Amino acid sequence: MAGHFEATPGGGASVALDEVEIAILRSLAVQLLELIGPGDQPAEGEDPLAALFAEGPSEPPSDPALARLFPEAYGDEDKELREASAEFRRFTENDLRTRKREDALAVVRSLDALAPVPESGAVLGLTAEECHHWLGSLNDLRLTIGTRLEVSDEDEGQDGSLYRLPDSDPRKPMVMAYLWLGALQETLVETLMP
């Protein structure tokens, strides 16, 4: 089980993680939460039902990683498509942010619930619902890191430059995290397939 998810009864999955892996996953999930930002909580005295119908932003984020997490719905080739994307974003981005935040929080909470044994780590067991949160968060982490690294399709192939970075390259630790998250994501997807 070391390093990859395996299916468990009831539609869940488990993976053995050492202390360093737990710390890296938790740190990345917390950084993702910081990037996504805090949730929109109703102000004191504000009707919580009214907050449900609050409109979100109509402009795409300026941060490239956030723009990748919250992409344009219809592109921006012409004025009509830009207007349609703005309208779509206005009514969907808040909910999408909430879901991404819930996914990352589920990762942090499940890692915090572990009791790792020094020198051996712990086995993380996830329910079927937690697996879906983890899939969402692993995907968001890979998108964010890939955007920061400016990863292209050519970089990801077996002959791609990601696999040939020298150890002295300052991007190497993030590339290793990116590739490791991809392997975790792939094995988690495989466990959930019928």
Side-chain angles (χ1 to χ4, degrees):
M1 181 183 351
H4 65 275
F5 280 96
E6 291 185 2
T8 59
S14 63
V15 63
L17 298 169
D18 65 31
E19 290 181 90
V20 173
E21 292 169 327
I22 293 167
I24 290 170
L25 281 167
R26 189 182 190 289
S27 174
L28 289 173
V30 168
Q31 290 176 55
L32 181 62
L33 284 165
E34 291 170 355
L35 178 66
I36 293 169
D40 293 330
Q41 300 297 325
E44 190 173 322
E46 182 182 356
D47 179 9
L49 188 57
L52 287 175
F53 297 103
E55 294 180 4
S58 58
E59 294 296 319
S62 58
D63 181 316
L66 281 174
R68 185 70 177 102
L69 291 175
F70 306 103
E72 291 286 62
Y74 305 110
D76 60 359
E77 291 81 37
D78 63 39
K79 184 179 179 188
E80 282 184 30
L81 289 177
R82 282 192 302 275
E83 289 173 359
S85 285
E87 188 75 1
F88 184 80
R89 178 180 301 280
R90 196 168 60 126
F91 292 109
T92 61
E93 187 171 311
N94 285 346
D95 288 340
L96 185 56
R97 279 184 187 269
T98 297
R99 195 196 82 230
K100 290 180 181 300
R101 194 175 300 104
E102 288 170 356
D103 289 347
L105 280 170
V107 169
V108 171
R109 287 180 184 129
S110 60
L111 292 171
D112 285 350
L114 288 176
V117 176
E119 305 298 322
S120 64
V123 174
L124 173 69
L126 301 175
T127 64
E129 182 180 347
E130 290 170 326
C131 286
H132 291 284
H133 287 298
W134 268 75
L135 274 178
S137 197
L138 288 171
N139 187 60
D140 292 342
L141 287 169
R142 289 195 75 238
L143 287 172
T144 301
I145 294 170
T147 301
R148 296 285 191 239
L149 292 171
E150 298 179 351
V151 172
S152 67
D153 289 339
E154 297 81 39
D155 293 328
E156 287 202 57
Q158 288 296 334
D159 296 328
S161 61
L162 287 181
Y163 295 95
R164 296 190 315 259
L165 283 178
D167 289 343
S168 60
D169 191 308
R171 299 172 300 163
K172 184 81 174 206
M174 287 312 295
V175 167
M176 297 305 294
Y178 175 80
L179 296 171
W180 175 57
L181 291 170
L184 283 175
Q185 183 181 24
E186 182 178 343
T187 61
L188 185 52
V189 167
E190 289 170 359
T191 67
L192 299 176
M193 295 183 77

